[in-house]
């Protein structure tokens, strides 16, 4: 498990003892199917971790702070604070020009930031479809490698994280201010928000363990009633994750701070990381007293998380 923090990247192995690999503020981590991992360092630097645990600087020139990164089959896509996307291939960085002219850009607006920005990027299996969430600007979708994009959900759904299922290209979900948004046709259309069983509809992150979805919910962006919930992929109601966790979590589990691989799930909350080995039914605090956690990643080859 890799843990991004305000003071670098920590590795937590089977002995649960954090070991630092990178110094500096790390705001995003993105594993790729090979077991490698991308990271964003101090806003403007892109890193890639090899299978041997070494990190290399990937030169990029994007002109605005990097807010998120997504591994792709050809390299990576980064989103920036000025609501643009960039494709990183080897040592080359190029703007995703189609995204700059997507319909509806003039309706995007800032909430909690100076201007709208890219909050998350994801892709379906084989990069068949790409998605980017804008805060605040909804979810944009491309099915031609980023050449053109179309808006999908309403701008004011307040999407915080969009994620494609790791093995099922038809399933895409998003943690939003109005609940869990979900698509069963590859993001072309979206169902009504799922909120049944939640104590609050304000969601900030999600992950897909085997056969299920885990979400983080709070009573608003500055709330103190924060919890994790689990739902079967085709289930109708969420069940609160309580076994091994405190009554309320110490801090919001934010975008990029909830990760799953098979039945393992990790959640970063404040200065702690919680871990589940059974798909989110039972949890344990794997590490405490860390620098503030900003991202988590579970490494390893892409595994079947069920459909």
């Amino acid at each position: 498990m890799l843990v991004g923090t305000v003071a670098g990247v920590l590795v937590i192995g089977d002995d649960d003892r954090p070991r630092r690999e990178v110094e500096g503020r790390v705001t995003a981590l993105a594993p790729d199917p090979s077991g490698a991992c991308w990271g964003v360092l101090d806003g403007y630097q892109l890193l890639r971790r090899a299978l041997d645990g070494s990190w290399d600087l990937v030169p990029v020139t994007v002109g605005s702070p990097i807010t998120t990164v997504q591994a792709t089959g050809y390299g990576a896509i980064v989103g920036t604070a000025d609501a643009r996307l960039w494709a990183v291939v080897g040592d080359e960085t190029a703007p995703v020009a189609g995204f700059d002219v997507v319909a509806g850009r003039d309706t995007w607006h800032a909430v909690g930031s100076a201007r709208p920005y890219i909050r998350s990027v994801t892709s379906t299996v084989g990069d068949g479809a790409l998605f980017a969430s804008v805060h605040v600007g909804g979810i944009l979708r491309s099915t031609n490698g980023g050449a053109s994009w179309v808006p999908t959900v309403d701008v004011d759904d307040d999407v915080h994280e969009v994620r494609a299922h790791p093995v099922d290209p038809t399933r895409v979900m998003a943690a939003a201010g109005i609940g869990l948004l979900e698509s069963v046709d590859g993001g072309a259309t979206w169902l009504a928000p799922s909120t049944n069983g939640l104590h609050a509809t304000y969601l900030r992150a999600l992950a897909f363990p085997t056969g299920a979805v885990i979400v983080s919910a709070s009573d608003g962006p500055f709330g103190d009633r924060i919890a994790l919930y689990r739902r079967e992929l085709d289930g109708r109601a969420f069940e609160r994750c309580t076994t091994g966790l405190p009554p309320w979590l110490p801090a919001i589990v934010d975008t990029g701070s909830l990760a799953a691989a098979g039945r393992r799930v990790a959640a970063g909350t404040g200065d702690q990381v919680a871990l589940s080995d059974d798909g989110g039914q039972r949890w344990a605090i794997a590490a405490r007293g860390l620098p503030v956690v900003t991202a988590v990643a579970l490494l390893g080859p892409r595994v079947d998380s069920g459909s």
Side-chain angles (χ1 to χ4, degrees), residues 66-189:
I66 300 171
T67 52
T68 188
V69 60
Q70 167 69 20
T72 65
Y74 53 80
I77 289 183
V78 299
T80 53
D82 56 356
R84 300 188 70 194
L85 293 177
W86 300 76
V88 181
V89 183
D91 290 338
E92 300 293 327
T93 304
V96 181
F99 193 79
D100 292 338
V101 295
V102 64
R105 280 189 76 101
D106 57 346
T107 67
W108 301 353
H109 54 276
V111 174
S113 61
R115 51 187 172 175
Y117 65 96
I118 307 298
R119 192 172 179 106
S120 65
V121 179
T122 191
S123 61
T124 57
V125 180
D127 300 327
L130 302 173
F131 300 86
S133 71
V134 177
H135 197 256
V136 173
I139 299 171
L140 296 309
R141 177 178 183 255
S142 174
T143 57
N144 55 12
S148 63
W149 297 74
V150 294
T152 57
V153 305
D154 190 271
V155 167
D156 290 314
D157 284 352
D158 193 17
V159 175
H160 299 118
E161 183 170 30
V162 60
R163 283 202 178 184
H165 192 272
V167 295
D168 182 352
T170 68
R171 289 186 181 269
V172 188
M173 297 188 183
I178 59 172
L180 181 71
L181 306 179
E182 49 190 320
S183 171
V184 293
D185 60 6
T189 62

Side-chain angles (χ1 to χ4, degrees), residues 107-283:
T107 67
W108 301 353
H109 54 276
V111 174
S113 61
R115 51 187 172 175
Y117 65 96
I118 307 298
R119 192 172 179 106
S120 65
V121 179
T122 191
S123 61
T124 57
V125 180
D127 300 327
L130 302 173
F131 300 86
S133 71
V134 177
H135 197 256
V136 173
I139 299 171
L140 296 309
R141 177 178 183 255
S142 174
T143 57
N144 55 12
S148 63
W149 297 74
V150 294
T152 57
V153 305
D154 190 271
V155 167
D156 290 314
D157 284 352
D158 193 17
V159 175
H160 299 118
E161 183 170 30
V162 60
R163 283 202 178 184
H165 192 272
V167 295
D168 182 352
T170 68
R171 289 186 181 269
V172 188
M173 297 188 183
I178 59 172
L180 181 71
L181 306 179
E182 49 190 320
S183 171
V184 293
D185 60 6
T189 62
W190 295 78
L191 306 175
S194 177
T195 61
N196 190 14
L198 300 174
H199 79 279
T201 63
Y202 186 85
L203 307 184
R204 286 284 275 265
L206 75 153
F208 293 111
T210 301
V213 59
I214 306 289
V215 300
S216 71
S218 73
D219 53 341
F222 306 105
D224 57 6
R225 292 163 61 87
I226 303 155
L228 296 177
Y229 288 85
R230 183 183 186 276
R231 199 200 76 185
E232 297 294 320
L233 275 181
D234 292 315
R236 296 185 177 182
F238 289 95
E239 294 183 359
R240 187 166 165 184
C241 302
T242 56
T243 303
L245 296 175
W248 299 108
L249 298 178
I252 286 176
V253 180
D254 211 347
T255 307
S257 293
L258 190 58
R263 292 181 60 79
R264 299 193 81 206
V265 193
T269 171
D271 67 348
Q272 303 177 15
V273 176
L275 186 64
S276 171
D277 289 321
D278 62 0
Q281 299 181 77
R282 291 180 294 273
W283 296 77

